[in-house]
Amino acid sequence: MRVIAGKARRLPLITPEGRDTRPTTDRIKETLFSMIQTDVPGCIFLDLFSGSGGIGIEALSRGAEKAYFVEFGKEPLRCIRANLTKTKLNDQAVVLPVEVTYGISKLERMGQVFDIVYADPPYRKGLEPKILQLLTDSRIVRPGTMVILESALETSPDYIDKERYEIMKIKEYKTNQHIFLKVR
Protein backbone atom coordinates (compact mmCIF):
# COMPACT_ATOMS: atom_id res chain seq x y z
CA MET A 1 0.00 0.00 0.00
CA ARG A 2 1.27 3.46 -0.88
CA VAL A 3 0.24 7.08 -1.30
CA ILE A 4 -1.02 7.37 -4.88
CA ALA A 5 -0.69 11.09 -5.66
CA GLY A 6 0.18 14.51 -4.29
CA LYS A 7 3.03 15.71 -2.12
CA ALA A 8 3.60 12.29 -0.46
CA ARG A 9 3.22 10.40 -3.76
CA ARG A 10 4.76 6.92 -3.94
CA LEU A 11 5.62 6.69 -0.25
CA PRO A 12 4.85 3.22 1.07
CA LEU A 13 2.48 2.94 4.05
CA ILE A 14 2.50 0.29 6.74
CA THR A 15 -0.68 -1.60 7.53
CA PRO A 16 -1.82 -3.46 10.63
CA GLU A 17 -1.11 -7.17 10.63
CA GLY A 18 -3.91 -9.70 10.90
CA ARG A 19 -7.42 -9.80 9.48
CA ASP A 20 -9.07 -7.18 11.68
CA THR A 21 -8.25 -4.35 9.25
CA ARG A 22 -8.87 -4.32 5.49
CA PRO A 23 -6.58 -1.73 3.91
CA THR A 24 -8.13 -0.18 0.81
CA THR A 25 -6.18 -1.36 -2.22
CA ASP A 26 -4.21 1.15 -4.26
CA ARG A 27 -6.48 0.57 -7.24
CA ILE A 28 -9.69 1.26 -5.31
CA LYS A 29 -8.08 4.25 -3.58
CA GLU A 30 -7.05 5.64 -6.96
CA THR A 31 -10.60 5.21 -8.30
CA LEU A 32 -12.11 6.80 -5.20
CA PHE A 33 -9.88 9.85 -5.32
CA SER A 34 -10.29 10.33 -9.06
CA MET A 35 -14.04 10.67 -8.33
CA ILE A 36 -13.57 13.32 -5.62
CA GLN A 37 -10.37 15.01 -6.82
CA THR A 38 -11.94 18.46 -7.21
CA ASP A 39 -13.53 18.31 -3.73
CA VAL A 40 -10.37 17.45 -1.78
CA PRO A 41 -8.08 20.50 -2.08
CA GLY A 42 -8.64 22.78 0.91
CA CYS A 43 -11.24 20.52 2.53
CA ILE A 44 -11.55 19.38 6.13
CA PHE A 45 -11.59 15.56 5.92
CA LEU A 46 -12.82 13.00 8.46
CA ASP A 47 -11.63 9.39 8.24
CA LEU A 48 -13.84 7.18 10.48
CA PHE A 49 -12.63 3.62 11.21
CA SER A 50 -9.27 4.83 9.89
CA GLY A 51 -7.34 1.55 9.95
CA SER A 52 -3.84 2.40 8.69
CA GLY A 53 -4.91 5.97 7.87
CA GLY A 54 -4.35 5.48 4.15
CA ILE A 55 -7.52 7.29 3.04
CA GLY A 56 -7.02 10.37 5.22
CA ILE A 57 -3.32 10.48 4.34
CA GLU A 58 -4.19 10.33 0.63
CA ALA A 59 -6.58 13.27 1.17
CA LEU A 60 -3.82 15.27 2.88
CA SER A 61 -1.32 14.41 0.18
CA ARG A 62 -3.81 15.66 -2.43
CA GLY A 63 -4.30 19.01 -0.72
CA ALA A 64 -6.84 18.60 2.08
CA GLU A 65 -6.30 21.35 4.63
CA LYS A 66 -6.70 19.04 7.61
CA ALA A 67 -7.66 15.40 8.25
CA TYR A 68 -9.06 13.85 11.41
CA PHE A 69 -8.54 10.14 12.04
CA VAL A 70 -10.89 8.25 14.38
CA GLU A 71 -9.62 4.77 15.28
CA PHE A 72 -9.73 2.70 18.44
CA GLY A 73 -7.43 -0.28 17.72
CA LYS A 74 -3.93 -0.13 19.19
CA GLU A 75 -2.15 -1.64 16.18
CA PRO A 76 -3.99 0.55 13.62
CA LEU A 77 -3.25 3.64 15.75
CA ARG A 78 0.44 2.75 15.75
CA CYS A 79 0.30 2.46 11.94
CA ILE A 80 -1.55 5.79 11.51
CA ARG A 81 1.01 7.63 13.62
CA ALA A 82 3.96 5.97 11.85
CA ASN A 83 2.44 6.70 8.42
CA LEU A 84 1.81 10.36 9.31
CA THR A 85 5.42 10.68 10.45
CA LYS A 86 6.75 8.95 7.33
CA THR A 87 4.71 11.19 5.03
CA LYS A 88 5.53 14.33 7.07
CA LEU A 89 1.81 15.17 7.34
CA ASN A 90 1.59 15.22 11.16
CA ASP A 91 1.00 18.97 11.33
CA GLN A 92 -2.21 18.68 9.29
CA ALA A 93 -3.57 15.65 11.14
CA VAL A 94 -5.54 15.07 14.32
CA VAL A 95 -5.68 11.47 15.58
CA LEU A 96 -8.50 10.61 17.98
CA PRO A 97 -7.80 7.25 19.66
CA VAL A 98 -11.44 6.59 20.50
CA GLU A 99 -14.43 4.51 19.39
CA VAL A 100 -16.36 6.15 16.53
CA THR A 101 -19.49 7.04 18.54
CA TYR A 102 -17.39 8.87 21.11
CA GLY A 103 -15.22 10.37 18.34
CA ILE A 104 -18.21 11.98 16.62
CA SER A 105 -19.41 13.33 19.97
CA LYS A 106 -15.95 14.70 20.75
CA LEU A 107 -15.63 16.35 17.34
CA GLU A 108 -19.02 17.97 17.86
CA ARG A 109 -17.91 19.37 21.23
CA MET A 110 -14.80 20.72 19.51
CA GLY A 111 -17.07 22.57 17.07
CA GLN A 112 -15.53 20.82 14.07
CA VAL A 113 -17.49 20.66 10.80
CA PHE A 114 -16.38 18.53 7.85
CA ASP A 115 -16.50 18.91 4.09
CA ILE A 116 -15.92 15.19 3.45
CA VAL A 117 -16.60 12.28 5.80
CA TYR A 118 -15.27 8.85 4.84
CA ALA A 119 -16.50 5.87 6.86
CA ASP A 120 -15.25 2.31 6.42
CA PRO A 121 -16.89 0.31 9.23
CA PRO A 122 -16.34 -3.43 9.61
CA TYR A 123 -18.34 -5.24 6.92
CA ARG A 124 -21.53 -7.20 7.59
CA LYS A 125 -22.08 -5.85 11.10
CA GLY A 126 -24.92 -3.49 10.20
CA LEU A 127 -23.00 -0.38 11.32
CA GLU A 128 -23.75 1.75 8.25
CA PRO A 129 -27.23 2.88 9.41
CA LYS A 130 -25.86 3.69 12.87
CA ILE A 131 -23.04 5.79 11.41
CA LEU A 132 -25.44 7.77 9.22
CA GLN A 133 -27.77 8.33 12.17
CA LEU A 134 -24.87 9.54 14.33
CA LEU A 135 -23.87 11.98 11.59
CA THR A 136 -27.48 13.10 11.10
CA ASP A 137 -27.86 13.75 14.83
CA SER A 138 -24.57 15.65 15.08
CA ARG A 139 -23.46 19.10 14.03
CA ILE A 140 -20.22 17.90 12.36
CA VAL A 141 -21.91 17.77 8.95
CA ARG A 142 -23.89 20.48 7.21
CA PRO A 143 -25.81 20.76 3.94
CA GLY A 144 -23.35 20.02 1.17
CA THR A 145 -21.06 17.77 3.22
CA MET A 146 -20.07 14.70 1.22
CA VAL A 147 -20.34 11.39 3.07
CA ILE A 148 -18.68 8.33 1.54
CA LEU A 149 -19.56 4.94 2.99
CA GLU A 150 -17.56 1.85 2.18
CA SER A 151 -19.42 -1.42 2.66
CA ALA A 152 -19.62 -5.00 1.47
CA LEU A 153 -21.01 -5.28 -2.07
CA GLU A 154 -24.17 -7.05 -0.91
CA THR A 155 -25.07 -4.31 1.61
CA SER A 156 -28.24 -2.67 0.32
CA PRO A 157 -28.43 1.12 0.56
CA ASP A 158 -32.09 0.89 1.71
CA TYR A 159 -31.15 2.26 5.14
CA ILE A 160 -30.26 5.70 3.73
CA ASP A 161 -32.68 8.46 4.76
CA LYS A 162 -33.34 10.06 1.38
CA GLU A 163 -34.84 13.14 3.00
CA ARG A 164 -31.53 13.83 4.75
CA TYR A 165 -29.06 12.43 2.18
CA GLU A 166 -28.95 12.55 -1.60
CA ILE A 167 -27.34 9.48 -3.17
CA MET A 168 -24.88 10.95 -5.65
CA LYS A 169 -23.36 7.70 -6.89
CA ILE A 170 -22.75 4.09 -5.96
CA LYS A 171 -19.46 2.68 -7.24
CA GLU A 172 -19.25 -1.11 -7.10
CA TYR A 173 -16.07 -3.17 -7.05
CA LYS A 174 -15.59 -6.95 -6.87
CA THR A 175 -16.33 -7.34 -3.15
CA ASN A 176 -17.21 -3.88 -1.86
CA GLN A 177 -18.78 -0.57 -2.80
CA HIS A 178 -18.54 3.15 -2.15
CA ILE A 179 -21.78 5.03 -1.63
CA PHE A 180 -21.40 8.77 -2.23
CA LEU A 181 -23.93 10.89 -0.36
CA LYS A 182 -24.52 14.62 -0.08
CA VAL A 183 -26.10 16.02 3.08
CA ARG A 184 -29.28 17.92 2.15
Side-chain angles (χ1 to χ4, degrees), residues 46-90:
L46 174 58
D47 188 352
L48 295 173
F49 303 95
S50 300
S52 65
I55 297 295
I57 288 170
E58 188 72 34
L60 288 172
S61 181
R62 290 173 182 249
E65 182 181 320
K66 195 158 198 93
Y68 290 73
F69 299 82
V70 177
E71 176 58 59
F72 193 59
K74 288 181 183 177
E75 177 64 12
L77 283 166
R78 184 189 68 74
C79 290
I80 292 168
R81 289 181 175 118
N83 287 332
L84 286 168
T85 298
K86 184 174 200 166
T87 57
K88 297 180 175 62
L89 295 169
N90 278 318

Side-chain angles (χ1 to χ4, degrees), residues 30-183:
E30 188 169 11
T31 300
L32 167 67
F33 278 92
S34 73
M35 296 170 73
I36 63 171
Q37 65 187 351
T38 59
D39 300 296
V40 173
C43 82
I44 306 298
F45 194 94
L46 174 58
D47 188 352
L48 295 173
F49 303 95
S50 300
S52 65
I55 297 295
I57 288 170
E58 188 72 34
L60 288 172
S61 181
R62 290 173 182 249
E65 182 181 320
K66 195 158 198 93
Y68 290 73
F69 299 82
V70 177
E71 176 58 59
F72 193 59
K74 288 181 183 177
E75 177 64 12
L77 283 166
R78 184 189 68 74
C79 290
I80 292 168
R81 289 181 175 118
N83 287 332
L84 286 168
T85 298
K86 184 174 200 166
T87 57
K88 297 180 175 62
L89 295 169
N90 278 318
D91 291 346
Q92 295 172 265
V94 176
V95 179
L96 299 176
V98 296
E99 187 270 327
V100 166
T101 303
Y102 183 75
I104 290 172
S105 174
K106 183 173 181 147
L107 289 164
E108 187 172 28
R109 287 191 307 277
M110 292 167 60
Q112 190 57 59
V113 179
F114 294 93
D115 301 303
I116 301 174
V117 175
Y118 181 84
D120 183 9
Y123 291 177
R124 298 174 193 89
K125 300 216 185 241
L127 294 174
E128 296 85 359
K130 180 180 180 183
I131 297 306
L132 276 187
Q133 191 60 55
L134 287 167
L135 291 173
T136 299
D137 293 343
S138 78
R139 292 185 306 272
I140 69 169
V141 297
R142 63 176 180 261
T145 296
M146 180 187 302
V147 176
I148 305 165
L149 290 170
E150 183 172 325
S151 63
L153 186 58
E154 68 273 7
T155 303
S156 170
D158 293 345
Y159 60 88
I160 297 169
D161 178 354
K162 292 176 183 64
E163 289 183 22
R164 182 73 172 130
Y165 295 95
E166 177 184 353
I167 299 175
M168 304 299 290
K169 182 175 184 68
I170 298 176
K171 175 64 177 161
E172 296 181 343
Y173 308 97
K174 285 183 181 179
T175 61
N176 63 334
Q177 62 186 335
H178 283 131
I179 302 172
F180 296 81
L181 306 170
K182 190 81 75 170
V183 177

